[in-house]
Amino acid sequence: MKVIKDRETLDGWLEECNRQGDEVGFIPTMGALHAGHLSLVAEAQKSCSKTIVSIFVNPTQFGPGEDFAQYPRTFTEDRAKLEEVGCDAVFLPSTETVYPPGGQTFIRVEPLASQLCGASRPGHFQGVATVVSILLNLVRPRRAYFGVKDYQQFTLIKQMVRDLAMAVEVVGVAIVREQDGLALSSRNSYLTAVEREQATALYRALTAAKTLYQDGESDSKILEDSARQVLLAAGIEKIDYVEVRHSETLVKEWSGQTPVMLIAAKVGKTRLIDNMLLNQETAINEGNG
Ligand code: PAF
Protein backbone atom coordinates (compact mmCIF):
# COMPACT_ATOMS: atom_id res chain seq x y z
CA MET A 1 0.00 0.00 0.00
CA LYS A 2 1.32 3.38 -1.01
CA VAL A 3 1.59 5.91 1.84
CA ILE A 4 1.12 9.43 0.49
CA LYS A 5 1.77 12.55 2.53
CA ASP A 6 1.91 15.46 0.09
CA ARG A 7 0.02 16.82 -2.91
CA GLU A 8 2.78 16.08 -5.44
CA THR A 9 3.00 12.39 -4.53
CA LEU A 10 -0.79 12.19 -4.59
CA ASP A 11 -0.87 13.75 -8.07
CA GLY A 12 1.76 11.23 -9.25
CA TRP A 13 -0.26 8.30 -7.91
CA LEU A 14 -3.46 9.66 -9.52
CA GLU A 15 -1.70 10.15 -12.88
CA GLU A 16 -0.60 6.52 -12.75
CA CYS A 17 -4.21 5.46 -11.99
CA ASN A 18 -5.37 7.56 -14.95
CA ARG A 19 -2.78 6.03 -17.28
CA GLN A 20 -3.97 2.57 -16.29
CA GLY A 21 -7.62 3.51 -16.76
CA ASP A 22 -8.42 2.93 -13.09
CA GLU A 23 -11.55 4.24 -11.39
CA VAL A 24 -10.62 5.64 -7.99
CA GLY A 25 -12.81 5.13 -4.94
CA PHE A 26 -12.12 7.44 -2.00
CA ILE A 27 -12.86 7.02 1.70
CA PRO A 28 -12.16 10.14 3.78
CA THR A 29 -11.62 9.31 7.48
CA MET A 30 -10.15 10.72 10.65
CA GLY A 31 -8.43 7.40 11.42
CA ALA A 32 -8.95 5.17 14.48
CA LEU A 33 -10.28 2.76 11.91
CA HIS A 34 -12.81 0.10 12.86
CA ALA A 35 -14.95 -2.41 10.99
CA GLY A 36 -17.29 0.40 9.91
CA HIS A 37 -14.48 2.12 8.00
CA LEU A 38 -13.31 -1.18 6.56
CA SER A 39 -16.83 -1.80 5.26
CA LEU A 40 -16.48 1.47 3.30
CA VAL A 41 -13.25 0.17 1.78
CA ALA A 42 -14.95 -3.13 0.91
CA GLU A 43 -17.82 -1.25 -0.73
CA ALA A 44 -15.38 0.86 -2.75
CA GLN A 45 -13.49 -2.24 -3.85
CA LYS A 46 -16.70 -3.67 -5.33
CA SER A 47 -16.97 -0.93 -7.93
CA CYS A 48 -13.60 0.84 -8.14
CA SER A 49 -10.31 -0.63 -9.36
CA LYS A 50 -8.26 1.51 -6.95
CA THR A 51 -9.13 2.58 -3.41
CA ILE A 52 -7.56 5.34 -1.38
CA VAL A 53 -8.31 6.22 2.25
CA SER A 54 -7.39 9.57 3.77
CA ILE A 55 -6.60 9.89 7.46
CA PHE A 56 -6.77 13.47 8.68
CA VAL A 57 -8.08 14.63 12.05
CA ASN A 58 -9.60 17.84 10.76
CA PRO A 59 -9.14 20.68 13.26
CA THR A 60 -11.81 22.90 11.70
CA GLN A 61 -14.68 20.54 12.55
CA PHE A 62 -13.94 20.48 16.28
CA GLY A 63 -15.31 23.28 18.45
CA PRO A 64 -13.60 24.79 21.49
CA GLY A 65 -13.74 22.28 24.34
CA GLU A 66 -14.35 19.33 21.99
CA ASP A 67 -12.06 16.30 21.74
CA PHE A 68 -9.64 17.36 18.96
CA ALA A 69 -6.52 16.82 21.12
CA GLN A 70 -7.89 13.64 22.65
CA TYR A 71 -9.20 12.12 19.39
CA PRO A 72 -7.53 8.71 18.95
CA ARG A 73 -4.55 8.73 16.56
CA THR A 74 -3.60 5.15 15.79
CA PHE A 75 -1.76 5.27 12.47
CA THR A 76 0.32 2.10 12.92
CA GLU A 77 -2.79 0.02 13.58
CA ASP A 78 -4.79 1.84 10.90
CA ARG A 79 -2.12 1.16 8.31
CA ALA A 80 -2.00 -2.55 9.20
CA LYS A 81 -5.80 -2.80 8.88
CA LEU A 82 -5.78 -1.10 5.48
CA GLU A 83 -2.91 -3.31 4.24
CA GLU A 84 -4.85 -6.37 5.35
CA VAL A 85 -7.97 -5.47 3.37
CA GLY A 86 -5.94 -4.66 0.26
CA CYS A 87 -6.42 -0.88 0.17
CA ASP A 88 -4.18 0.60 -2.56
CA ALA A 89 -3.15 3.88 -0.97
CA VAL A 90 -3.47 5.93 2.20
CA PHE A 91 -3.29 9.72 2.14
CA LEU A 92 -1.92 11.15 5.36
CA PRO A 93 -1.70 14.89 4.86
CA SER A 94 -0.40 17.44 7.37
CA THR A 95 -2.61 20.38 8.32
CA GLU A 96 -0.57 22.65 5.99
CA THR A 97 -1.07 20.22 3.10
CA VAL A 98 -4.85 20.41 3.51
CA TYR A 99 -4.99 24.06 4.53
CA PRO A 100 -2.04 25.94 3.01
CA PRO A 101 -1.45 29.24 4.81
CA GLY A 102 -3.54 32.15 3.56
CA GLY A 103 -6.73 30.18 2.85
CA GLN A 104 -9.92 32.28 2.92
CA THR A 105 -12.64 29.98 1.63
CA PHE A 106 -15.16 27.98 3.64
CA ILE A 107 -18.21 26.01 2.55
CA ARG A 108 -21.54 26.64 4.26
CA VAL A 109 -24.48 24.37 3.57
CA GLU A 110 -27.45 26.12 5.13
CA PRO A 111 -29.88 25.51 6.75
CA LEU A 112 -28.82 21.86 6.84
CA ALA A 113 -25.65 22.63 8.80
CA SER A 114 -27.15 24.57 11.67
CA GLN A 115 -29.76 22.08 12.87
CA LEU A 116 -29.59 18.73 14.73
CA CYS A 117 -25.87 18.18 15.51
CA GLY A 118 -25.07 21.60 14.04
CA ALA A 119 -27.22 23.33 16.67
CA SER A 120 -25.02 22.11 19.50
CA ARG A 121 -21.79 22.03 17.48
CA PRO A 122 -21.68 25.44 15.78
CA GLY A 123 -19.20 25.49 12.90
CA HIS A 124 -18.83 21.71 12.87
CA PHE A 125 -20.44 21.15 9.48
CA GLN A 126 -18.71 24.13 7.92
CA GLY A 127 -15.45 22.39 8.90
CA VAL A 128 -16.70 19.07 7.51
CA ALA A 129 -17.98 20.54 4.22
CA THR A 130 -14.79 22.53 3.73
CA VAL A 131 -12.39 19.67 4.39
CA VAL A 132 -14.42 17.20 2.33
CA SER A 133 -14.51 19.56 -0.63
CA ILE A 134 -10.74 20.14 -0.37
CA LEU A 135 -10.07 16.41 -0.11
CA LEU A 136 -12.40 15.68 -3.05
CA ASN A 137 -10.59 18.31 -5.11
CA LEU A 138 -7.21 16.82 -4.22
CA VAL A 139 -8.15 13.18 -4.83
CA ARG A 140 -10.68 13.75 -7.67
CA PRO A 141 -12.24 10.30 -7.18
CA ARG A 142 -14.96 8.73 -9.31
CA ARG A 143 -16.84 7.79 -6.13
CA ALA A 144 -16.55 8.79 -2.47
CA TYR A 145 -17.87 6.61 0.36
CA PHE A 146 -19.39 7.78 3.64
CA GLY A 147 -20.95 5.85 6.50
CA VAL A 148 -24.60 6.72 7.04
CA LYS A 149 -24.04 6.55 10.78
CA ASP A 150 -23.20 10.25 10.36
CA TYR A 151 -26.52 10.71 8.60
CA GLN A 152 -26.60 14.50 8.71
CA GLN A 153 -23.02 14.62 7.40
CA PHE A 154 -23.94 12.21 4.59
CA THR A 155 -27.01 14.28 3.66
CA LEU A 156 -25.03 17.52 3.76
CA ILE A 157 -22.22 16.16 1.59
CA LYS A 158 -24.73 14.94 -1.00
CA GLN A 159 -26.30 18.41 -0.99
CA MET A 160 -22.91 20.14 -1.35
CA VAL A 161 -21.84 17.90 -4.21
CA ARG A 162 -25.12 18.57 -5.99
CA ASP A 163 -25.02 22.35 -5.36
CA LEU A 164 -21.40 22.74 -6.48
CA ALA A 165 -21.76 20.33 -9.43
CA MET A 166 -18.84 18.32 -8.15
CA ALA A 167 -17.94 15.42 -10.42
CA VAL A 168 -18.12 12.65 -7.86
CA GLU A 169 -20.70 10.06 -6.93
CA VAL A 170 -21.43 10.05 -3.20
CA VAL A 171 -22.13 6.56 -1.89
CA GLY A 172 -23.69 5.92 1.54
CA VAL A 173 -22.73 2.73 3.33
CA ALA A 174 -24.80 0.98 6.03
CA ILE A 175 -24.04 1.30 9.72
CA VAL A 176 -21.99 -1.54 11.16
CA ARG A 177 -23.18 -2.53 14.62
CA GLU A 178 -21.90 -4.60 17.49
CA GLN A 179 -23.90 -7.73 18.35
CA ASP A 180 -25.91 -5.75 20.90
CA GLY A 181 -26.76 -3.04 18.39
CA LEU A 182 -24.27 -0.32 19.35
CA ALA A 183 -23.17 1.47 16.18
CA LEU A 184 -19.40 1.31 15.69
CA SER A 185 -17.71 4.65 16.34
CA SER A 186 -14.17 5.72 17.07
CA ARG A 187 -15.59 7.50 20.13
CA ASN A 188 -16.88 4.22 21.65
CA SER A 189 -13.33 3.79 22.97
CA TYR A 190 -14.04 6.62 25.45
CA LEU A 191 -16.85 4.64 27.15
CA THR A 192 -16.38 2.93 30.53
CA ALA A 193 -17.81 -0.60 30.89
CA VAL A 194 -20.97 0.75 32.54
CA GLU A 195 -21.41 3.45 29.86
CA ARG A 196 -20.79 0.89 27.12
CA GLU A 197 -23.78 -1.07 28.45
CA GLN A 198 -25.93 2.08 28.72
CA ALA A 199 -25.02 3.05 25.16
CA THR A 200 -26.95 0.09 23.75
CA ALA A 201 -30.10 2.05 24.62
CA LEU A 202 -29.63 4.20 21.50
CA TYR A 203 -30.22 1.19 19.26
CA ARG A 204 -33.08 -0.03 21.43
CA ALA A 205 -34.68 3.42 21.32
CA LEU A 206 -34.49 3.46 17.52
CA THR A 207 -35.90 -0.04 17.15
CA ALA A 208 -38.72 0.77 19.59
CA ALA A 209 -39.72 3.74 17.44
CA LYS A 210 -39.40 1.71 14.28
CA THR A 211 -41.70 -1.00 15.65
CA LEU A 212 -44.24 1.66 16.59
CA TYR A 213 -44.02 3.22 13.13
CA GLN A 214 -44.46 -0.12 11.46
CA ASP A 215 -47.48 -0.78 13.66
CA GLY A 216 -49.07 2.32 12.10
CA GLU A 217 -47.94 5.25 14.28
CA SER A 218 -47.02 8.27 12.18
CA ASP A 219 -46.98 11.11 14.70
CA SER A 220 -43.38 12.33 15.06
CA LYS A 221 -43.89 13.39 18.66
CA ILE A 222 -45.23 9.99 19.74
CA LEU A 223 -42.37 8.21 17.94
CA GLU A 224 -39.81 10.56 19.49
CA ASP A 225 -41.30 10.19 22.97
CA SER A 226 -41.15 6.41 22.72
CA ALA A 227 -37.43 6.56 21.91
CA ARG A 228 -36.80 9.12 24.65
CA GLN A 229 -38.43 6.81 27.22
CA VAL A 230 -35.99 4.02 26.32
CA LEU A 231 -33.01 6.37 26.72
CA LEU A 232 -34.24 7.74 30.04
CA ALA A 233 -34.95 4.23 31.36
CA ALA A 234 -31.30 3.38 30.65
CA GLY A 235 -30.16 6.42 32.64
CA ILE A 236 -29.29 8.51 29.59
CA GLU A 237 -30.51 11.96 30.54
CA LYS A 238 -28.35 14.28 28.49
CA ILE A 239 -30.35 13.89 25.31
CA ASP A 240 -29.32 16.41 22.68
CA TYR A 241 -32.11 15.47 20.30
CA VAL A 242 -34.43 12.68 19.24
CA GLU A 243 -35.99 13.66 15.94
CA VAL A 244 -37.94 12.09 13.12
CA ARG A 245 -37.14 13.76 9.81
CA HIS A 246 -37.52 13.34 6.05
CA SER A 247 -34.78 10.88 5.13
CA GLU A 248 -33.64 12.75 2.00
CA THR A 249 -33.76 16.38 3.11
CA LEU A 250 -33.91 16.18 6.92
CA VAL A 251 -36.81 18.64 7.01
CA LYS A 252 -39.36 18.04 9.76
CA GLU A 253 -42.24 17.40 7.34
CA TRP A 254 -41.95 13.80 6.13
CA SER A 255 -45.53 12.70 5.66
CA GLY A 256 -45.79 10.16 2.85
CA GLN A 257 -41.99 9.87 2.65
CA THR A 258 -39.50 7.58 4.35
CA PRO A 259 -38.80 8.92 7.84
CA VAL A 260 -35.44 8.64 9.55
CA MET A 261 -35.07 8.86 13.31
CA LEU A 262 -31.90 10.57 14.49
CA ILE A 263 -30.56 10.55 18.05
CA ALA A 264 -27.69 12.38 19.72
CA ALA A 265 -27.07 11.92 23.43
CA LYS A 266 -24.27 12.01 25.93
CA VAL A 267 -23.40 8.77 27.65
CA GLY A 268 -21.14 9.87 30.47
CA LYS A 269 -19.00 12.50 28.79
CA THR A 270 -19.15 10.88 25.36
CA ARG A 271 -21.53 12.27 22.76
CA LEU A 272 -22.96 9.44 20.64
CA ILE A 273 -25.15 9.61 17.55
CA ASP A 274 -27.21 6.97 15.79
CA ASN A 275 -30.08 6.81 13.34
CA MET A 276 -32.44 4.45 11.62
CA LEU A 277 -34.79 4.58 8.68
CA LEU A 278 -38.18 3.70 10.10
CA ASN A 279 -39.36 2.16 6.88
CA GLN A 280 -37.73 -1.26 6.69
CA GLU A 281 -38.25 -1.81 2.96
CA THR A 282 -36.08 1.11 1.95
CA ALA A 283 -33.62 0.86 4.82
CA ILE A 284 -30.05 1.48 3.73
CA ASN A 285 -28.69 1.64 7.19
CA GLU A 286 -29.82 -1.56 8.79
CA GLY A 287 -27.06 -2.87 10.98
CA ASN A 288 -26.09 -6.44 11.58
CA GLY A 289 -26.61 -6.33 15.33
O1 PAF B 1 -16.73 11.30 9.20
C1 PAF B 1 -15.55 11.66 9.37
O2 PAF B 1 -14.70 10.86 9.79
C2 PAF B 1 -15.16 13.09 9.08
O3 PAF B 1 -16.19 13.98 9.42
C3 PAF B 1 -14.70 13.31 7.63
C4 PAF B 1 -15.81 13.03 6.64
C5 PAF B 1 -13.52 12.40 7.34
C6 PAF B 1 -14.26 14.76 7.44
O4 PAF B 1 -13.21 15.09 8.29
Side-chain angles (χ1 to χ4, degrees):
M1 182 176 67
K2 177 115 178 141
V3 178
I4 300 172
K5 295 193 173 173
D6 55 71
R7 292 182 178 210
E8 293 70 31
T9 314
L10 178 63
D11 283 345
W13 185 78
L14 291 170
E15 264 164 39
E16 190 53 34
C17 290
N18 258 340
R19 251 197 302 281
Q20 292 174 0
D22 283 315
E23 281 198 333
V24 173
F26 175 44
I27 300 106
T29 81
M30 298 205 301
L33 302 181
H34 49 63
H37 297 110
L38 300 181
S39 77
L40 302 181
V41 177
E43 200 56 39
Q45 287 170 332
K46 283 187 201 159
S47 48
C48 302
S49 49
K50 284 282 191 291
T51 51
I52 178 166
V53 168
S54 65
I55 297 180
F56 178 63
V57 184
N58 173 36
T60 68
Q61 69 188 76
F62 289 82
E66 289 191 350
D67 57 342
F68 174 66
Q70 187 195 356
Y71 199 84
R73 287 157 172 89
T74 55
F75 181 63
T76 309
E77 292 88 337
D78 290 349
R79 179 181 182 162
K81 286 177 190 170
L82 293 174
E83 298 258 17
E84 199 176 319
V85 297
C87 182
D88 298 289
V90 60
F91 181 38
L92 200 68
S94 65
T95 303
E96 292 68 33
T97 297
V98 174
Y99 299 113
Q104 302 190 17
T105 305
F106 298 93
I107 309 281
R108 291 179 65 225
V109 186
E110 293 294 347
L112 247 180
S114 49
Q115 51 188 296
L116 299 167
C117 285
S120 53
R121 303 187 70 191
H124 168 68
F125 286 115
Q126 174 171 308
V128 170
T130 303
V131 80
V132 169
S133 61
I134 293 169
L135 290 170
L136 289 174
N137 285 335
L138 291 174
V139 179
R140 306 182 289 281
R142 171 78 184 76
R143 297 183 191 85
Y145 296 79
F146 296 87
V148 297
K149 176 174 164 287
D150 296 295
Y151 199 87
Q152 187 177 5
Q153 168 175 285
F154 172 61
T155 308
L156 177 133
I157 289 167
K158 279 193 298 182
Q159 180 77 44
M160 173 184 82
V161 162
R162 195 164 49 237
D163 292 347
L164 298 180
M166 297 168 91
V168 61
E169 184 186 331
V170 176
V171 183
V173 180
I175 296 175
V176 179
R177 297 182 183 279
E178 303 277 11
Q179 281 302 311
D180 58 11
L182 179 67
L184 296 196
S185 161
S186 305
R187 290 192 169 96
N188 291 351
S189 64
Y190 301 157
L191 300 169
T192 64
V194 171
E195 290 164 356
R196 168 68 187 76
E197 181 55 35
Q198 271 187 311
T200 59
L202 271 76
Y203 180 71
R204 285 186 280 111
L206 291 167
T207 46
K210 180 172 187 163
T211 305
L212 211 52
Y213 173 76
Q214 291 184 355
D215 286 349
E217 183 57 66
S218 61
D219 182 319
S220 290
K221 179 149 178 1
I222 293 175
L223 295 166
E224 290 160 3
D225 283 349
S226 76
R228 241 170 226 282
Q229 287 316 315
V230 176
L231 296 176
L232 292 171
I236 299 177
E237 284 168 0
K238 290 187 203 142
I239 302 170
D240 188 355
Y241 59 78
V242 175
E243 295 260 351
V244 182
R245 297 283 179 105
H246 186 302
S247 61
E248 286 294 319
T249 59
L250 294 185
V251 296
K252 282 180 191 274
E253 176 51 54
W254 55 270
S255 150
Q257 305 296 320
T258 300
V260 59
M261 175 172 271
L262 305 112
I263 295 182
K266 271 198 173 165
V267 180
K269 289 196 171 108
T270 307
R271 188 174 184 280
L272 297 179
I273 57 172
D274 202 347
N275 69 82
M276 191 174 281
L277 294 177
L278 299 185
N279 174 341
Q280 185 119 40
E281 267 109 57
T282 54
I284 55 165
N285 58 345
E286 276 303 294
N288 54 6

